[in-house]
Amino acid sequence: MNSIDPVIWFFLFGLFAGAMKSELRLPSQIYDFVSMLLLLTIGLKGGIELANQPFSTLLPQMVVIVGMGFLLPLFAFPVLKHIGKFNRADSASIAAHYGSVSVGTFAVAVAYMNTRGIEFEEHMALFVVLLEIPAILVGIILARGMSKETQWATVGHEVLLGKGVMFLLGGLFIGWLSGPSGVESISPLFFDLFKGILALFLLEMGLITATQLGSLKRYGVFLVIFGIITPLVFAVLGTATGLALGLSIGGTAILATLFASASYIAVPAAMRISVPEANPTLSLTASLGITFPFNILFGIPLYHWFASNGQSFLVLQNIGQ
Amino acid sequence: MNSIDPVIWFFLFGLFAGAMKSELRLPSQIYDFVSMLLLLTIGLKGGIELANQPFSTLLPQMVVIVGMGFLLPLFAFPVLKHIGKFNRADSASIAAHYGSVSVGTFAVAVAYMNTRGIEFEEHMALFVVLLEIPAILVGIILARGMSKETQWATVGHEVLLGKGVMFLLGGLFIGWLSGPSGVESISPLFFDLFKGILALFLLEMGLITATQLGSLKRYGVFLVIFGIITPLVFAVLGTATGLALGLSIGGTAILATLFASASYIAVPAAMRISVPEANPTLSLTASLGITFPFNILFGIPLYHWFASNGQSFLVLQNIGQ
Amino acid sequence: MNSIDPVIWFFLFGLFAGAMKSELRLPSQIYDFVSMLLLLTIGLKGGIELANQPFSTLLPQMVVIVGMGFLLPLFAFPVLKHIGKFNRADSASIAAHYGSVSVGTFAVAVAYMNTRGIEFEEHMALFVVLLEIPAILVGIILARGMSKETQWATVGHEVLLGKGVMFLLGGLFIGWLSGPSGVESISPLFFDLFKGILALFLLEMGLITATQLGSLKRYGVFLVIFGIITPLVFAVLGTATGLALGLSIGGTAILATLFASASYIAVPAAMRISVPEANPTLSLTASLGITFPFNILFGIPLYHWFASNGQSFLVLQNIGQ
Amino acid sequence: MNNNNTKLLTIVTEAALESRLINDIEQLGALGYTITNARGKGSRGLRSGSWEASANIRIEVICGPDLAKQIANHLQKKYYDNYAMVTFTSDVEVLRPNKFSD
Amino acid sequence: MNNNNTKLLTIVTEAALESRLINDIEQLGALGYTITNARGKGSRGLRSGSWEASANIRIEVICGPDLAKQIANHLQKKYYDNYAMVTFTSDVEVLRPNKFSD
Amino acid sequence: MNNNNTKLLTIVTEAALESRLINDIEQLGALGYTITNARGKGSRGLRSGSWEASANIRIEVICGPDLAKQIANHLQKKYYDNYAMVTFTSDVEVLRPNKFSD
Ligand SMILES: Nc1ncnc2c1ncn2[C@@H]1O[C@H](COP(=O)(O)O)[C@@H](O)[C@H]1O
Ligand SMILES: Nc1ncnc2c1ncn2[C@@H]1O[C@H](COP(=O)(O)O)[C@@H](O)[C@H]1O
Ligand SMILES: Nc1ncnc2c1ncn2[C@@H]1O[C@H](COP(=O)(O)O)[C@@H](O)[C@H]1O
Ligand code: NA
Ligand code: NA
Ligand code: NA
């Protein structure tokens, strides 16, 4: 029993409290505070790594990651449109959610590795930032086509200046500019409290997830299947990418988790403004009601297993040659 | 002067600021945040102790404590009804407040023991959770009788799923399931900051208490006397119970404090819904306006003295035999 | 690049996010929480120093500081009225802002010294509290004259019981009464997190400053010049005062920073009530839109240079004698 | 704006009642509601909103005049004796009146 | 709903005035009020609510028409020159009109 | 209170629209607005306000009847299809009606 991280229990506690319709509630301002700290911390971690390593070393990896950020929603879209029979806007919006990443899921994966003493490349936090945005742009194009009417300046504004992306980028630049020693003085708030803040965040996500569960039956079985199969497939892609980039087992598992995760902060906000005709309940039900709990409860250990076995496979192959 | 804990000064500061009608105010969302952290931490502490000790060792103590939780309001009720001349609903509601416990008072007692290096059984936090609920049920029965009309399912829902009880129980289960080592990663937020968070909580309680003082003269001298005598009597019962259970001096003093304390979070919320005809100002004026400051300023040192002398008395008796 | 403190980057990040009209926003309740922690911590630090040193040692310095607190607005007022051509109320209000101090600027100066390992007298925090109030009284008198109509009781109430002053004084007394060892138990929240909390505060100040910048052009070039020259002149006075009082270089630089800083918490609130005919946008544009960024970006290093050179000058003089 | 027969019913009461009131209102047939947090003072004294026990909420329901009357009467009967509560009704115009009553 | 002679007076103004306004309103004879936090824009510019200095409040007072007029006039005389403030009045129906005026 | 021709237009909608709506309203000619945070339920389901995605705002605009109509129609055309939104209008009296319409 001890093998489940306490932050996961916080999520389950929130889920239970929400499902039982308890009076337990976090004020939205506290949710804002907690998610701000989470986003800033992850941005800071990514930025510190940028400061630690020569930019040229990271650049090739960064290019590949951004490229995958553009590709992933393109894989999801036809499935949603042709098999799921969703309309164009809904398909595009859900595809954008799954192409992008979930900061909460990332944080849980990091906690998982830390608890087990599994090493991973610290610059994974940088990948979170990189994977956040491309899927949003692809989603908008998928919904509207490359029409000239699209006000790309406005879209760019919405995407880059949205709360989630701003906090991540702001943390990234501050971490980069200050470097590891500069950030030390603010580490008690941003780093020491991180797991506790994550626990509160997951408690709130549990409460919110519980309200999403109600919409589940309305949207039927396809959404449930999609919300479980997609992370599995994307995690395989992520494992392959991680191994191809030469990441460690821990790093590969985290990258697989990122691919498998679906956004519920930055992308919903951007879609609501840029693809308003998409039904937000649909994508949130899938990403928050199904994929998020699936990933943090079952996915992460599984993706860790993917990464370990993927690497053993590579090693064996190399020996065989 | 140094012997007064700084958290007490925070309470007095809030009391002063409130009495002077200063502009100082904590947003209610911050109060929610701070009290959530307090409740979760105390729950966690209780849960960790459950994980630390074989359940069978604790069970007998737990049964006694729950039993006392049912008894205490029954002692207070006739006094309120026949001497205080309160109506049935008000008597029942006030009795429930005094039968239950105050989490803030408990936290101050723990701080008191820690500052003085007085040892106590860590599972006292568990008793907080156990003492929270029985008095509420007794209060409802006292107000309504065992009438068949009472929707016990609804009452149970209200009591168990109220905010205060949920956070305590949630923390308890998380602490229990994670164990001491599991909880370590979230301890900077929940344990290291605890005294600071308690200081903010007491600042806010001071502000709120100041607003209660205005109603004091309206409700006359009986309420003041009741609000001081009851904790003294209940503290004696608590001391006896503690010694009977073989608790240490510190543990006995804390149990006496718990018995002496009156709820102002979980019980008011439950009474408002389940015994709506009871006047909430009445019970809050007594529990928050009189008993809470009495306990944290004068009661705790006194109950510590009770516990020490009680134990000396026992020791002497044993020697005499 | 590493020489800029990360908290300054948080300010610039907020400024950027505000100027770009991003969706990034802190709930006002979180701003309240963060500024409360800041004010309490600075008050606590001042109080601890009061407890550490015999009061008689500090008293002469305190008298001088309070005296300067009365003088500084008197220097600013005629400049605003006769050169700036502002009306009486506006001149008085702006003068009060500049005669008083900015807690945020003080905190950044302390961070600056800590990062560079520059020693300073710990009781500077006490001076913050002392400098907060006199300028407010002078401002009110300047605006209204010493007319008998002025309800000084009400004014005193407004000034002393305003949020900013209350938190500072409350912290001061708690720190004083508890002493350094008493405060230890609450130090994880109030002291360890301080720099992180300051970072969040500055992020919010950046966002707010950005909204003030819009009013800049409306009020023209005099305000900009006033907002830069005044801190420079006051910093020179502060340097002289610091050296005269025999403060260390670090202490002198911080005192210069205090003189140079302009209030944007306590004074605006007091002026709004006590000198309502003064335009609040005017004084906030100057103090928050110009002087605050000037001080934290350029002023503090400059005032440090003032203090070092001032002391070298004194040393040389002494040698020459 | 083609209709003058729609009502806005506003209820100011204790925050603790939120879930109960919503239940009642929906069961009586309201198709929606809007809630804001509030504080205030009335015959039951000051409710400063500084913590749960003293917080108010302000519920607005747009509906037909009959339903407004029905809800107000129901609340009066069920809650006025024991809870801080005020209700008032005003005339509003809406673009699509049928959205607010079946 | 048996009375059409009750008024709802709404005041939107700077949060800094809260305690003063409440004093004034109560002294003029109002028996209650409801306050919500707000932000907004008007002739005195944007008040974004992001910190105390720019926060608004929205005060509602249910009272008789004379008192409503009296309060509005008093506020206009005392505060309009120096503070961001807007007041407006509308007709409301209440269940027990005597609750709101002596 | 010398004028009965001023309107109070109230809009309840998704918080995500705040900056867009303000833009629209100001461009159509409104001289001010007041915003409060809200939560609620309507034809598009529960909006509990527990996080950004489910938060509502309540915008009030005091203006002349023509502008009120114009804003309501504009919002209906532009947003009703895709967003949770309700608008309603009521009559209010103000002290200085010319403050609210050019
Ligand atoms: N005259 C009034 N005008 C506006 N709001 C009121 C009035 N009376 C009461 N209220 C509000 O309704 C709540 C309950 O009122 P009561 O039941 O009279 O205590 C109060 O806390 C106020 O928020
Ligand atoms: N036309 C309007 N409609 C709605 N609210 C307004 C209007 N004008 C002003 N307000 C509100 O009243 C406050 C003070 O207005 P003012 O004194 O015009 O700056 C503003 O900050 C708004 O919240
Ligand atoms: N009948 C109603 N009465 C009061 N508020 C409503 C009503 N219907 C909807 N609302 C509010 O308007 C928002 C959007 O409504 P809708 O577009 O119907 O989902 C809801 O979230 C509620 O806050
Ligand atoms: Na993904
Ligand atoms: Na008790
Ligand atoms: Na100054």
Short mmCIF file of all heavy atoms in Angstrom, two decimals, chain D residues 12-13 39-45 47 56 83-86, chain E residues 31-34 60-63 99-100, ligand 1:
data_model
loop_
_atom_site.label_atom_id
_atom_site.label_comp_id
_atom_site.label_asym_id
_atom_site.label_seq_id
_atom_site.Cartn_x
_atom_site.Cartn_y
_atom_site.Cartn_z
N VAL D 12 -31.24 36.72 -0.93
CA VAL D 12 -29.99 36.89 -0.17
C VAL D 12 -30.13 36.08 1.10
O VAL D 12 -31.07 36.29 1.87
CB VAL D 12 -29.73 38.37 0.16
CG1 VAL D 12 -28.39 38.51 0.89
CG2 VAL D 12 -29.75 39.22 -1.08
N THR D 13 -29.21 35.16 1.33
CA THR D 13 -29.35 34.29 2.50
C THR D 13 -28.01 33.70 2.93
O THR D 13 -26.97 34.04 2.36
CB THR D 13 -30.37 33.16 2.21
OG1 THR D 13 -30.66 32.48 3.42
CG2 THR D 13 -29.82 32.19 1.18
N ARG D 39 -22.02 39.68 1.53
CA ARG D 39 -22.06 39.86 2.97
C ARG D 39 -23.13 40.90 3.23
O ARG D 39 -23.65 41.50 2.30
CB ARG D 39 -20.69 40.28 3.52
CG ARG D 39 -20.09 41.50 2.85
CD ARG D 39 -18.63 41.64 3.28
NE ARG D 39 -18.00 42.81 2.69
CZ ARG D 39 -17.52 42.86 1.44
NH1 ARG D 39 -17.61 41.82 0.64
NH2 ARG D 39 -16.96 43.97 0.97
N GLY D 40 -23.48 41.13 4.49
CA GLY D 40 -24.52 42.13 4.69
C GLY D 40 -25.02 42.19 6.11
O GLY D 40 -24.42 41.65 7.05
N LYS D 41 -26.11 42.89 6.27
CA LYS D 41 -26.70 43.06 7.58
C LYS D 41 -28.21 43.09 7.40
O LYS D 41 -28.73 43.52 6.38
CB LYS D 41 -26.21 44.36 8.20
CG LYS D 41 -26.42 44.46 9.69
CD LYS D 41 -25.68 45.67 10.23
CE LYS D 41 -25.90 45.85 11.71
NZ LYS D 41 -25.09 47.00 12.20
N GLY D 42 -28.92 42.62 8.42
CA GLY D 42 -30.37 42.64 8.35
C GLY D 42 -30.93 42.40 9.72
O GLY D 42 -30.24 42.60 10.73
N SER D 43 -32.16 41.90 9.76
CA SER D 43 -32.80 41.73 11.06
C SER D 43 -32.07 40.70 11.93
O SER D 43 -32.17 40.72 13.14
CB SER D 43 -34.25 41.30 10.87
OG SER D 43 -34.29 40.11 10.13
N ARG D 44 -31.35 39.79 11.30
CA ARG D 44 -30.60 38.79 12.08
C ARG D 44 -29.15 39.21 12.31
O ARG D 44 -28.29 38.37 12.60
CB ARG D 44 -30.65 37.44 11.38
CG ARG D 44 -32.01 36.79 11.53
CD ARG D 44 -32.08 35.42 10.91
NE ARG D 44 -33.44 34.91 11.07
CZ ARG D 44 -33.80 34.01 12.00
NH1 ARG D 44 -32.91 33.53 12.83
NH2 ARG D 44 -35.05 33.63 12.07
N GLY D 45 -28.89 40.48 12.20
CA GLY D 45 -27.57 40.99 12.56
C GLY D 45 -26.58 40.98 11.42
O GLY D 45 -26.92 40.70 10.27
N ARG D 47 -23.66 39.94 9.03
CA ARG D 47 -23.06 38.73 8.45
C ARG D 47 -21.88 39.19 7.60
O ARG D 47 -22.04 39.51 6.43
CB ARG D 47 -24.10 37.96 7.63
CG ARG D 47 -25.33 37.55 8.51
CD ARG D 47 -26.27 36.60 7.80
NE ARG D 47 -25.58 35.49 7.21
CZ ARG D 47 -25.10 34.43 7.88
NH1 ARG D 47 -25.29 34.33 9.17
NH2 ARG D 47 -24.45 33.48 7.25
N ASN D 56 -22.79 35.17 3.29
CA ASN D 56 -24.06 35.18 2.57
C ASN D 56 -23.86 34.80 1.12
O ASN D 56 -22.76 34.88 0.59
CB ASN D 56 -24.68 36.59 2.60
CG ASN D 56 -25.43 36.86 3.89
OD1 ASN D 56 -25.66 35.98 4.69
ND2 ASN D 56 -25.83 38.12 4.08
N TYR D 83 -33.68 31.23 9.36
CA TYR D 83 -32.47 31.64 8.65
C TYR D 83 -32.53 33.12 8.28
O TYR D 83 -33.61 33.68 8.08
CB TYR D 83 -32.28 30.80 7.38
CG TYR D 83 -31.98 29.36 7.66
CD1 TYR D 83 -32.99 28.40 7.62
CD2 TYR D 83 -30.69 28.95 7.97
CE1 TYR D 83 -32.71 27.06 7.89
CE2 TYR D 83 -30.41 27.62 8.23
CZ TYR D 83 -31.41 26.67 8.19
OH TYR D 83 -31.13 25.37 8.46
N ALA D 84 -31.37 33.73 8.21
CA ALA D 84 -31.26 35.07 7.63
C ALA D 84 -31.60 34.97 6.15
O ALA D 84 -30.92 34.26 5.41
CB ALA D 84 -29.85 35.62 7.82
N MET D 85 -32.66 35.61 5.73
CA MET D 85 -33.07 35.50 4.33
C MET D 85 -33.95 36.66 3.90
O MET D 85 -34.85 37.07 4.62
CB MET D 85 -33.83 34.19 4.07
CG MET D 85 -34.19 33.98 2.61
SD MET D 85 -35.10 32.44 2.31
CE MET D 85 -33.80 31.22 2.42
N VAL D 86 -33.66 37.18 2.74
CA VAL D 86 -34.45 38.24 2.13
C VAL D 86 -34.70 37.86 0.68
O VAL D 86 -33.80 37.34 0.03
CB VAL D 86 -33.67 39.58 2.22
CG1 VAL D 86 -34.08 40.53 1.13
CG2 VAL D 86 -33.86 40.21 3.58
N LEU E 31 -32.46 49.53 7.20
CA LEU E 31 -32.51 48.42 8.15
C LEU E 31 -31.63 47.25 7.75
O LEU E 31 -31.56 46.25 8.44
CB LEU E 31 -33.95 47.94 8.31
CG LEU E 31 -34.91 48.99 8.88
CD1 LEU E 31 -36.32 48.45 8.92
CD2 LEU E 31 -34.47 49.44 10.26
N GLY E 32 -30.96 47.40 6.61
CA GLY E 32 -30.10 46.32 6.17
C GLY E 32 -29.40 46.70 4.88
O GLY E 32 -29.69 47.75 4.29
N TYR E 33 -28.49 45.87 4.46
CA TYR E 33 -27.78 46.09 3.20
C TYR E 33 -27.10 44.80 2.81
O TYR E 33 -26.89 43.90 3.64
CB TYR E 33 -26.74 47.22 3.34
CG TYR E 33 -25.78 47.00 4.45
CD1 TYR E 33 -24.65 46.19 4.28
CD2 TYR E 33 -25.98 47.56 5.71
CE1 TYR E 33 -23.77 45.94 5.32
CE2 TYR E 33 -25.10 47.32 6.76
CZ TYR E 33 -24.00 46.51 6.56
OH TYR E 33 -23.14 46.26 7.59
N THR E 34 -26.75 44.70 1.54
CA THR E 34 -26.02 43.55 1.03
C THR E 34 -24.85 44.06 0.21
O THR E 34 -25.02 44.98 -0.59
CB THR E 34 -26.92 42.66 0.16
OG1 THR E 34 -27.95 42.12 1.00
CG2 THR E 34 -26.16 41.52 -0.47
N GLU E 60 -26.28 47.03 -2.00
CA GLU E 60 -27.70 47.08 -2.28
C GLU E 60 -28.48 47.37 -1.01
O GLU E 60 -28.21 46.76 0.03
CB GLU E 60 -28.18 45.74 -2.85
CG GLU E 60 -27.65 45.47 -4.25
CD GLU E 60 -28.01 44.07 -4.71
OE1 GLU E 60 -27.68 43.12 -3.98
OE2 GLU E 60 -28.62 43.94 -5.78
N VAL E 61 -29.42 48.28 -1.10
CA VAL E 61 -30.26 48.59 0.04
C VAL E 61 -31.72 48.51 -0.40
O VAL E 61 -32.13 49.19 -1.35
CB VAL E 61 -29.98 50.00 0.59
CG1 VAL E 61 -30.82 50.27 1.82
CG2 VAL E 61 -28.51 50.18 0.90
N ILE E 62 -32.49 47.68 0.28
CA ILE E 62 -33.92 47.62 0.03
C ILE E 62 -34.58 48.55 1.04
O ILE E 62 -34.36 48.42 2.25
CB ILE E 62 -34.47 46.20 0.22
CG1 ILE E 62 -33.62 45.22 -0.58
CG2 ILE E 62 -35.93 46.12 -0.19
CD1 ILE E 62 -33.87 43.78 -0.18
N CYS E 63 -35.38 49.49 0.54
CA CYS E 63 -35.99 50.44 1.46
C CYS E 63 -37.15 51.15 0.78
O CYS E 63 -37.44 50.90 -0.39
CB CYS E 63 -34.95 51.47 1.93
SG CYS E 63 -34.18 52.36 0.60
N LYS E 99 -40.74 45.00 6.58
CA LYS E 99 -39.41 44.61 7.06
C LYS E 99 -38.36 45.63 6.66
O LYS E 99 -37.28 45.69 7.25
CB LYS E 99 -39.05 43.23 6.48
CG LYS E 99 -37.81 42.65 7.13
CD LYS E 99 -37.39 41.32 6.60
CE LYS E 99 -35.97 41.04 7.10
NZ LYS E 99 -35.46 39.75 6.75
N PHE E 100 -38.65 46.39 5.61
CA PHE E 100 -37.61 47.24 5.05
C PHE E 100 -37.80 48.73 5.32
O PHE E 100 -37.05 49.54 4.84
CB PHE E 100 -37.47 46.97 3.56
CG PHE E 100 -37.19 45.54 3.30
CD1 PHE E 100 -38.19 44.67 2.88
CD2 PHE E 100 -35.93 45.03 3.53
CE1 PHE E 100 -37.92 43.34 2.69
CE2 PHE E 100 -35.66 43.70 3.33
CZ PHE E 100 -36.65 42.84 2.90
N1 LIG G 1 -32.88 46.17 3.80
C1 LIG G 1 -32.03 45.36 3.22
N2 LIG G 1 -31.42 45.75 2.07
C2 LIG G 1 -30.53 44.94 1.45
N3 LIG G 1 -30.18 43.74 1.91
C3 LIG G 1 -30.73 43.29 3.06
C4 LIG G 1 -31.68 44.07 3.76
N4 LIG G 1 -32.06 43.37 4.86
C5 LIG G 1 -31.38 42.20 4.84
N5 LIG G 1 -30.58 42.14 3.76
C6 LIG G 1 -29.69 41.04 3.37
O1 LIG G 1 -30.31 39.81 3.67
C7 LIG G 1 -29.55 39.08 4.65
C8 LIG G 1 -30.49 38.39 5.60
O2 LIG G 1 -31.35 39.35 6.16
P1 LIG G 1 -32.08 39.16 7.56
O3 LIG G 1 -32.82 37.88 7.46
O4 LIG G 1 -32.94 40.38 7.67
O5 LIG G 1 -30.97 39.15 8.59
C9 LIG G 1 -28.67 40.13 5.31
O6 LIG G 1 -27.49 39.55 5.84
C10 LIG G 1 -28.40 41.08 4.19
O7 LIG G 1 -27.34 40.62 3.34
#
